[in-house]
Amino acid sequence: MSTQYTAVIWNREKKRYDRYLAGLIGLFLLAFCGLTLALQPEITAETLIIRATGTTALLLLHLTLMIGPLCRIDPAFLPLLYNRRHLGVTTFFFGLIHGVFNLIQFHSLGNVNPLVSLFTANVHYGSLSNFPFQVLGFGALVILFLMAATSHDFWLKNLGPKAWKTLHMFVYLAYGLLVMHVLLGVAQAEHSPVAIGFLGMGVVTVISLHLAAAFFGQRGQFTAAAGEDFVEVCGLADIEDKRAKVCLIGKENIAIFKYDGKLAAVSNICKHQHGPLGEGKIVDGCITCPWHGYQYLPENGCSPPPFTEKVSTYELKLVGDRIFVNPRPHPEGTRVEPVEIPRKHE
Amino acid sequence: MNRFPFYIGWSADVPPKALQRARAFLLLACCLFGVGGAWLALAQGEFSNAVFEYGQATELEGVLVTRPAPALKVAVGDAGSETYQRVLLVGYGKFGATGILQTVAEREGFDLDGRRVKVRGSLLYRDGKALLELSEGDAAFLEIGQPRSLSSSRELYGETSLSGEILDAKCYFGVMKPGEGKPHRSCAVRCLSGGIPPVMKARLADGRLEYVLLVGPNGEQITDRLLDFVAEPVSLCGRAERLDDWWVLYVDLNQGVGRLGLSYPADIPMCR
């Protein structure tokens, strides 16, 4: 969290994250480039760069897409998510090097502008086997560029969380384009099934993790139709101290927190990157988002000063040991008195 | 209930247990990236031994011929029993040599065809075929002599049908690896559009590969008619002839270009 924009707010965890990321990329490049150069010294530098950077970008994109669902399945993976934007921006830069070298290698120094050539050199748009696969890679690169360019919190704030999140969901379109880029491109020139095998494994893993996250992520979540004033959600014992119960009532995604002998309900959606507040924890008296540690006061949904983020709050009532929530949200930042838990239930 | 230590990235107090799973994941990713990188490197197809002497100038003397493609006829072997090798001439980047020859001809005021010349450029070679990139444009012509009559070794083969892939000579014989196949398609289109001679990498009936220069029935350029068919298996009909060290196919355009698709048992493996 920050009250002013800084290029990167470095801390120990981000530095550690980036060191590991650099090590991982270095290991791959060492293995791929080292072995290629040792076994096939005839390769040209351009081809080596194009292949190494393209493969690195695709591998990093797989990692990026795996982290979200892994964290939904098991919060133990949350350290992987904390600095995921650096992973995403690194993915874009490798894709950019790959794209620029391809443009230079295959389209420059010719009789038309390289960018025009990209779209017009091969015009078999109606054919599957002859499809101009480079155009698919270009489309994916444009999406990755928009994501990398708007990855900073400045853009999150100015675009608004909803528009920002929508834009960044296009990563799945970029992923689809890149899979087809490989299948309709280099896969048709290589005799070995290894590259296709790796890609297939990657696609199956990404899809499986997302399906598993959709299943496990809703485990224990209360769901009800809208319409009633107060809806019974769960018992007191169903909520761990300083943790929350998530309930989806109509379109309202609500997190009910239990802390310090009290209950409070706020929107489950963090204002930062739409992280799941209900999977967070009360730390220092504040609801703390599991994704990037954004904090909100449980009684009014406001970030503690000097921060300015606000989320909606909801009315609660306790009947015996049963918790009821009114799914009509109060305006963001509205104070709602927390419900005191009688001592006999604590 | 969630009993896992809560991780907050900005907190100075990170529970060690919170990092264990991430480290396990990282270890797995390291194995995957390391093994994957090595496996992908090993699985790559073999690269050709083609050479492009980029930045390295070579001077060649010979007789310039403009048909079927701009080339320098260079004597090979001992005097008296020499044969001639045609070194195809191409321009810088994705351009043929025709524009350069026209510029020089206009400057000199006479046609260059059949004249003895000395030129400087960068050599490209593969499988016994050679090309010279006139990197310096019209300045590549160091000497232009008198017309000289040289007989060509000619062998008429007659009407035939050839199957294979249409390539641009410059990339395949030196600049790019691989300079063929689907990934190279757009580049081949660009090169052929710029005037680099089209060549068919043809598989003959006995399984041998042969490189065949492609021209129209009267030796004219037909690049525009071939652009749609590069980098895929096709068949072409026409009159074949061997000129010095090159086979030439005078393509019968009335019969068109046949797409072979799956029926061609050759080098484009997937998706066919």
Side-chain angles (χ1 to χ4, degrees), chain A residues 2 34 70 77 107 129 149 161 164 188 196 231 255 311:
Chain A
S2 174
L70 274 175
F77 288 105
H107 296 282
S129 60
W164 187 91
Q188 296 193 41
I196 294 296
V231 177
V311 292

Side-chain angles (χ1 to χ4, degrees), chain B residues 9-25:
Chain B
W10 47 257
S11 170
D13 181 25
V14 178
K17 202 177 168 189
L19 295 176
Q20 284 175 1
R21 190 69 59 88
R23 285 190 177 131
F25 181 84

Side-chain angles (χ1 to χ4, degrees), chain A residues 291-303:
Chain A
W291 281 12
H292 300 95
Y294 270 57
Q295 293 191 305
Y296 304 88
L297 293 164
E299 62 271 19
N300 60 15
C302 294
S303 292

Side-chain angles (χ1 to χ4, degrees), chain A:
Chain A
M1 295 176 81
S2 174
T3 54
Q4 59 185 20
Y5 298 115
T6 308
V8 179
I9 306 168
W10 288 107
N11 59 36
R12 188 186 63 175
E13 287 304 295
K14 284 186 183 175
K15 287 177 182 170
R16 177 153 47 186
Y17 195 105
D18 285 2
R19 277 200 301 273
Y20 287 151
L21 177 59
L24 202 58
I25 293 168
L27 182 67
F28 175 78
L29 292 178
L30 192 68
F32 183 79
C33 298
L35 262 179
T36 301
L37 284 171
L39 298 175
Q40 301 214 56
E42 299 87 6
I43 192 173
T44 61
E46 295 88 345
T47 301
L48 185 62
I49 291 168
I50 285 170
R51 290 190 175 188
T53 52
T55 317
T56 306
L58 198 55
L59 279 168
L60 293 179
L61 186 58
H62 275 92
L63 276 192
T64 311
L65 292 176
M66 285 163 63
I67 288 171
L70 274 175
C71 292
R72 299 300 306 277
I73 294 166
D74 187 346
F77 288 105
L78 279 169
L80 298 171
L81 188 137
Y82 179 58
N83 206 19
R84 185 174 53 172
R85 80 173 67 183
H86 284 199
L87 180 56
V89 172
T90 308
T91 303
F92 162 69
F93 274 115
F94 273 90
L96 182 66
I97 297 169
H98 174 80
V100 167
F101 266 83
N102 266 297
L103 206 60
I104 292 171
Q105 172 101 327
F106 296 129
H107 296 282
S108 68
L109 299 176
N111 56 352
V112 297
N113 180 294
L115 278 173
V116 174
S117 173
L118 175 68
F119 291 94
T120 58
N122 177 3
V123 289
H124 289 273
Y125 287 93
S127 159
L128 188 63
S129 60
N130 292 326
F131 194 88
F133 69 100
Q134 291 172 332
V135 173
L136 300 174
F138 180 80
L141 191 59
V142 169
I143 293 172
L144 292 180
F145 165 72
L146 290 174
M147 291 176 61
T150 59
S151 65
H152 197 273
D153 281 352
F154 171 84
W155 288 103
L156 178 63
K157 185 88 174 176
N158 285 283
L159 290 172
K162 196 171 178 183
W164 187 91
K165 188 77 180 176
T166 304
L167 171 67
H168 283 243
M169 290 300 279
F170 276 92
V171 69
Y172 293 103
L173 176 60
Y175 180 61
L177 290 172
L178 285 179
V179 169
M180 294 309 292
H181 172 71
V182 175
L183 286 178
L184 299 179
V186 72
Q188 296 193 41
E190 289 292 329
H191 292 259
S192 165
V194 171
I196 294 296
F198 264 104
L199 184 65
M201 273 169 46
V203 171
V204 168
T205 306
V206 167
I207 291 174
S208 304
L209 281 174
H210 279 77
L211 290 175
F215 176 74
F216 289 110
Q218 290 180 0
R219 197 176 44 179
Q221 177 178 299
F222 175 85
T223 307
E228 300 170 57
D229 275 352
F230 275 89
V231 177
E232 183 180 350
V233 175
C234 61
L236 274 172
D238 295 328
I239 310 178
E240 195 180 352
D241 190 40
K242 297 190 188 302
R243 298 282 189 171
K245 174 82 176 177
V246 174
C247 52
L248 189 64
I249 303 172
K251 289 181 178 174
E252 293 302 313
N253 198 352
I254 305 167
I256 303 170
F257 280 88
K258 185 166 88 173
Y259 64 102
D260 300 340
K262 291 181 280 190
L263 291 168
V266 299
S267 168
N268 186 40
I269 299 166
C270 179
K271 279 294 175 184
H272 178 222
Q273 287 187 12
H274 283 195
L277 285 180
E279 293 172 25
K281 187 182 178 184
I282 302 285
V283 176
D284 299 331
C286 291
I287 296 166
T288 305
C289 181
W291 281 12
H292 300 95
Y294 270 57
Q295 293 191 305
Y296 304 88
L297 293 164
E299 62 271 19
N300 60 15
C302 294
S303 292
F307 307 109
T308 56
E309 286 78 13
K310 294 175 188 172
V311 292
S312 304
T313 50
Y314 299 85
E315 300 275 357
L316 288 175
K317 69 179 181 182
L318 190 64
V319 179
D321 70 340
R322 306 300 297 174
I323 301 167
F324 292 72
V325 65
N326 186 336
R328 277 179 300 191
H330 287 291
E332 292 170 353
T334 304
R335 180 178 176 85
V336 174
E337 209 55 46
V339 172
E340 297 282 344
I341 302 172
R343 280 204 172 276
K344 61 179 178 180
H345 292 305
E346 283 190 44

Side-chain angles (χ1 to χ4, degrees), chain B residues 34-78:
Chain B
V35 173
W39 204 353
L40 287 168
L42 292 170
Q44 291 177 102
E46 204 170 314
F47 293 98
S48 77
N49 59 357
V51 174
F52 176 28
E53 295 182 348
Y54 181 74
Q56 187 179 329
T58 298
E59 293 180 4
L60 285 181
E61 278 187 68
V63 174
L64 195 143
V65 289
T66 54
R67 287 206 165 197
L72 198 64
K73 282 185 66 167
V74 180
V76 181
D78 299 329

Side-chain angles (χ1 to χ4, degrees), chain B:
Chain B
M1 292 295 178
N2 194 336
R3 292 187 176 83
F4 199 85
F6 191 67
Y7 170 85
I8 309 171
W10 47 257
S11 170
D13 181 25
V14 178
K17 202 177 168 189
L19 295 176
Q20 284 175 1
R21 190 69 59 88
R23 285 190 177 131
F25 181 84
L26 187 72
L27 191 66
L28 186 69
C30 279
C31 294
L32 193 71
F33 272 53
V35 173
W39 204 353
L40 287 168
L42 292 170
Q44 291 177 102
E46 204 170 314
F47 293 98
S48 77
N49 59 357
V51 174
F52 176 28
E53 295 182 348
Y54 181 74
Q56 187 179 329
T58 298
E59 293 180 4
L60 285 181
E61 278 187 68
V63 174
L64 195 143
V65 289
T66 54
R67 287 206 165 197
L72 198 64
K73 282 185 66 167
V74 180
V76 181
D78 299 329
S81 61
E82 70 264 29
T83 57
Y84 292 98
Q85 182 176 1
R86 290 184 181 229
V87 178
L88 298 182
L89 299 177
V90 291
Y92 181 72
K94 294 176 172 62
F95 289 98
T98 305
I100 297 171
L101 299 187
Q102 281 172 355
T103 304
V104 176
E106 283 168 17
R107 186 185 68 202
E108 300 294 331
F110 51 75
D111 191 9
L112 297 175
D113 201 16
R115 287 182 180 266
R116 191 194 65 76
V117 296
K118 182 177 182 182
V119 291
R120 183 170 56 208
S122 297
L123 276 172
L124 306 95
Y125 45 91
R126 172 182 182 174
D127 297 343
K129 305 294 185 198
L131 287 78
L132 188 73
E133 183 196 78
L134 305 177
S135 322
E136 301 169 64
D138 55 336
F141 280 79
L142 304 176
E143 293 174 16
I144 302 173
Q146 295 300 312
R148 187 176 166 194
S149 174
L150 279 182
S151 60
S152 290
S153 152
R154 298 182 87 115
E155 183 185 338
L156 293 172
Y157 187 84
E159 296 294 324
T160 187
S161 170
L162 291 174
S163 299
E165 180 183 337
I166 299 170
L167 315 153
D168 75 278
K170 188 176 181 184
C171 286
Y172 182 80
F173 288 107
V175 174
M176 292 204 188
K177 297 180 184 184
E180 60 186 315
K182 175 78 183 284
H184 185 256
R185 181 179 193 126
S186 296
C187 181
V189 168
R190 200 72 295 122
C191 288
L192 294 179
S193 304
I196 289 168
V199 169
M200 176 179 256
K201 179 185 170 185
R203 191 176 290 278
L204 306 183
D206 60 5
R208 279 186 301 119
L209 286 174
E210 189 59 74
Y211 302 114
V212 184
L213 278 167
L214 303 175
V215 290
N218 302 308
E220 73 277 20
Q221 294 302 316
I222 53 165
T223 300
D224 289 348
R225 303 285 295 271
L226 302 176
L227 287 181
D228 220 23
F229 303 94
V230 299
E232 61 176 301
V234 293
S235 68
L236 290 171
C237 296
R239 178 168 47 86
E241 178 185 31
R242 191 169 180 89
L243 270 177
D244 297 320
D245 60 329
W246 276 95
W247 279 101
V248 182
L249 186 72
Y250 298 89
V251 179
D252 182 352
L253 293 170
N254 291 327
Q255 296 205 39
V257 184
R259 283 200 159 91
L260 295 176
L262 285 168
S263 64
Y264 188 68
D267 301 328
I268 304 180
M270 315 296 290
C271 207
R272 293 206 308 105

